[in-house]
Amino acid sequence: KCGSCGPGYASPLDAMKGPREEIIYVPCIYRNTGRNIPDFLATVDVDPKSPCYSQVIHRLPMPNVGDELHHSGWNACSSCHGDPSKTRNFLVLPSLASSRIYIVDVGTEPRAPRLFKVVNPEDVFWKCGLGYPHTSHCLGSGEVMISTLGDPAGNGKGGFILLDAETFEIKGTWEKGDEVPPMGYDFWYQPRHNVLISTEWAIPKFLGYGFDPNDLGKGRYGRRLNVWDWSTHRYIQAIDVGEDSAPLEIRFLHDPNASQGFVGCTISSAIHRFYKTERGDWAAEKVIQVPSKKVEGWLLPEMPGFITDILISLDDRFLYFSNWLHGDVRQYDISDPRSPRLVGQVFVGGSIAKGGPVRVCEDEELQSQPEPFVIQVAPQFLPEGFITDILISLDDRFLYFSNWLHGDVRQDGSVMLQLDVDTEKGGLAVNPKFLVDFGKEPGGPCLAHEMRYPGGDCTSDIWL
């Protein structure tokens, strides 16, 4: 990196040549665990040469209870590369349940972050008319943009909060015009194609009770990709990907010239490729369908995969995603984006392992139920769990994931593990030497969620 450069890297391929990550920041959540204590930000050592390898080396508790920290982002990233006045030194932590936004100083002491500022929910409500903030992205303009799920009352409403990236004061909303989507969740923008595309999860006031099959067919879960004009900030198009599909994580290819990407639909368990058409508008096509399994011993006769997190490698060669219910992480070769090819798969939890309460009666993909994945944490063994988040290393050689353990999160909490990735032929394998046990935390077991690297976290960056 040259001395006149700004944060991040000049290109995705340059980012892959960056130094290996040494620490990861992990929001840890106590909401719904029965423990009335604040969430905290954990700093995890991921340097194999360190004596503290795979350990939590610092905890930063939030000052409030019941926040549910969610998809964190940065005050500056590769979209600001080339501006030497910008530095990636603050982590932006939206709180899904409380609508607070925490700003954490990770620049002064990266291994021991400190709280810098709290944006109170009243400011979010009154200045933006929005609530339930979810995903944050930095902008090349020197602002931070955060998507939301609804309005302050918990009704569905897709919108975006703008923060000043220096003072972190709320500047208002990004969107303009009277028309807005009925719901919100994640987003990605691609300035070279003058577009931002956002997704829809569900109406917030129904999410607080967890997934209820009775909510299906009532318009309470999302079904659209929402297209925005990047320059005018106006909502211009809706792409229907199916009733109750719940499109969540959306990723453009990292190449800033790319006019396509992928979105994971949770309830329908499908991956759709979205793309710019010859007419200049946008469309989507299903390119991966995870088949449901016919089961006994579960709340429904068929169990979907329930796709949660998706990632694309920085060289745009591989797509990764996790099936929350089935318990597998998958790797697809996307050299041909219209025909992704499964090249790696490993079961690390879920509900269909042998010996559990669920019996698989019919399966289009597997000959038999997968063997239980058991994690050894001296002096006991912990059973498999549900994958909550995945994060890939810059060089694409490692995939980190957090697991909410089976049974009762009140008793077991989460662990964080690592997969070794074959970047030539494809393939995934659990690294038995890496395990972070959040069940040992001083406040008791917690739920580990969205992970971020410090200065080198470019898999969530956007290049202009």
Side-chain angles (χ1 to χ4, degrees), residues 3 95 124 160 168 177 182 186 196 209 216 229 302 398 415 418 445:
S95 301
V124 176
F160 306 93
F168 299 105
D186 195 21
L196 178 150
Y209 301 100
L216 298 175
D229 184 291
E302 293 193 5
F398 305 104
V415 295
Q418 185 190 83

Side-chain angles (χ1 to χ4, degrees), residues 345-371:
Q345 183 180 27
V346 60
F347 280 84
V348 288
S351 294
I352 63 167
K354 287 181 180 178
V358 176
R359 187 176 77 87
V360 178
C361 307
E362 187 175 322
D363 193 329
E364 293 182 26
E365 295 183 308
L366 303 177
Q367 298 298 316
S368 62
Q369 292 180 238
E371 295 293 331

Side-chain angles (χ1 to χ4, degrees), residues 74-97:
W74 298 98
N75 65 311
C77 66
S78 292
S79 64
C80 301
H81 186 77
D83 185 346
S85 68
K86 299 290 191 299
T87 305
R88 192 201 308 255
N89 54 355
F90 289 97
L91 189 65
V92 180
L93 276 168
S95 301
L96 187 65

Side-chain angles (χ1 to χ4, degrees), residues 346-348 373 401 417-420 428-434:
V346 60
F347 280 84
V348 288
F373 176 69
F401 69 94
L417 300 101
Q418 185 190 83
L419 299 177
D420 295 330
L428 302 171
V430 176
N431 178 0
K433 298 180 180 179
F434 184 94

Side-chain angles (χ1 to χ4, degrees), residues 400-463:
Y400 300 94
F401 69 94
S402 54
N403 230 19
W404 165 18
L405 294 180
H406 252 328
D408 191 348
V409 70
R410 299 166 184 255
Q411 302 298 325
D412 296 327
S414 289
V415 295
M416 176 178 164
L417 300 101
Q418 185 190 83
L419 299 177
D420 295 330
V421 178
D422 185 334
T423 59
E424 297 300 323
K425 299 179 180 179
L428 302 171
V430 176
N431 178 0
K433 298 180 180 179
F434 184 94
L435 187 145
V436 183
D437 181 12
F438 292 102
K440 296 180 179 179
E441 290 309 301
C446 56
L447 174 60
H449 202 32
E450 294 292 325
M451 301 172 280
R452 291 286 180 263
Y453 306 130
D457 182 12
C458 295
T459 51
S460 61
D461 280 7
I462 296 169
W463 280 264

Side-chain angles (χ1 to χ4, degrees), residues 51-260:
C52 300
Y53 180 56
S54 75
Q55 296 179 28
V56 176
I57 59 174
H58 185 266
R59 299 163 185 81
L60 174 65
M62 299 300 111
N64 300 285
V65 174
D67 285 314
E68 192 170 335
L69 302 177
H70 229 71
H71 283 49
S72 59
W74 298 98
N75 65 311
C77 66
S78 292
S79 64
C80 301
H81 186 77
D83 185 346
S85 68
K86 299 290 191 299
T87 305
R88 192 201 308 255
N89 54 355
F90 289 97
L91 189 65
V92 180
L93 276 168
S95 301
L96 187 65
S98 70
S99 295
R100 290 186 185 89
I101 303 168
Y102 293 105
I103 312 300
V104 177
D105 176 1
V106 299
T108 303
E109 178 49 67
R111 300 177 75 87
R114 63 188 69 173
L115 187 61
F116 178 77
K117 183 182 178 70
V118 180
V119 179
N120 290 316
E122 295 82 8
D123 292 334
V124 176
F125 298 158
W126 288 108
K127 294 181 180 180
C128 300
L130 296 169
Y132 307 90
H134 185 267
T135 299
S136 60
H137 279 302
C138 60
L139 307 184
S141 62
E143 297 166 310
V144 175
M145 185 166 165
I146 306 173
S147 60
T148 62
L149 273 66
D151 67 13
N155 303 302
K157 180 182 180 182
F160 306 93
I161 302 163
L162 276 182
L163 299 181
D164 184 279
E166 300 292 334
T167 66
F168 299 105
E169 294 292 323
I170 292 181
K171 299 181 68 174
T173 57
W174 176 84
E175 64 274 11
K176 296 179 181 178
D178 296 330
E179 189 175 4
V180 294
M183 302 177 208
Y185 186 73
D186 195 21
F187 73 101
W188 201 276
Y189 62 92
Q190 201 78 316
R192 296 188 189 184
H193 295 282
N194 193 39
V195 70
L196 178 150
I197 302 181
S198 61
T199 60
E200 302 180 342
W201 183 9
I203 296 173
K205 61 186 177 184
F206 296 110
L207 285 175
Y209 301 100
F211 175 70
D212 184 351
N214 293 319
D215 287 334
L216 298 175
K218 298 179 180 179
R220 295 174 178 177
Y221 286 99
R223 62 183 299 163
R224 304 169 189 82
L225 307 184
N226 296 302
V227 183
W228 304 76
D229 184 291
W230 178 247
S231 58
T232 66
H233 304 188
R234 293 184 181 272
Y235 179 44
I236 57 173
Q237 184 187 351
I239 304 171
D240 194 336
V241 290
E243 184 181 28
D244 294 325
S245 56
L248 296 189
E249 308 291 338
I250 187 166
R251 304 285 184 266
F252 266 95
L253 296 182
H254 291 290
D255 178 356
N257 289 315
S259 58
Q260 61 182 324

Side-chain angles (χ1 to χ4, degrees), residues 12 15-16 18-25 46 74 188 251 254 309-322 329-332 334 343 387 389-402 416-424 426-428 449-454 456-461 463:
M16 291 188 73
R20 177 172 174 167
E21 56 279 354
E22 296 182 355
I23 55 176
I24 291 179
Y25 301 123
V46 295
W74 298 98
W188 201 276
R251 304 285 184 266
H254 291 290
D309 211 358
I310 74 168
L311 290 173
I312 298 174
S313 61
L314 281 171
D315 58 7
D316 291 334
R317 287 185 58 207
F318 296 108
L319 168 71
Y320 301 88
F321 67 83
S322 57
V329 178
R330 299 186 179 207
Q331 177 191 25
Y332 283 81
I334 53 172
V343 293
I387 304 160
D389 182 42
I390 55 176
L391 176 69
I392 195 168
S393 61
L394 289 182
D395 60 9
D396 198 25
R397 293 176 56 218
F398 305 104
L399 194 69
Y400 300 94
F401 69 94
S402 54
M416 176 178 164
L417 300 101
Q418 185 190 83
L419 299 177
D420 295 330
V421 178
D422 185 334
T423 59
E424 297 300 323
L428 302 171
H449 202 32
E450 294 292 325
M451 301 172 280
R452 291 286 180 263
Y453 306 130
D457 182 12
C458 295
T459 51
S460 61
D461 280 7
W463 280 264

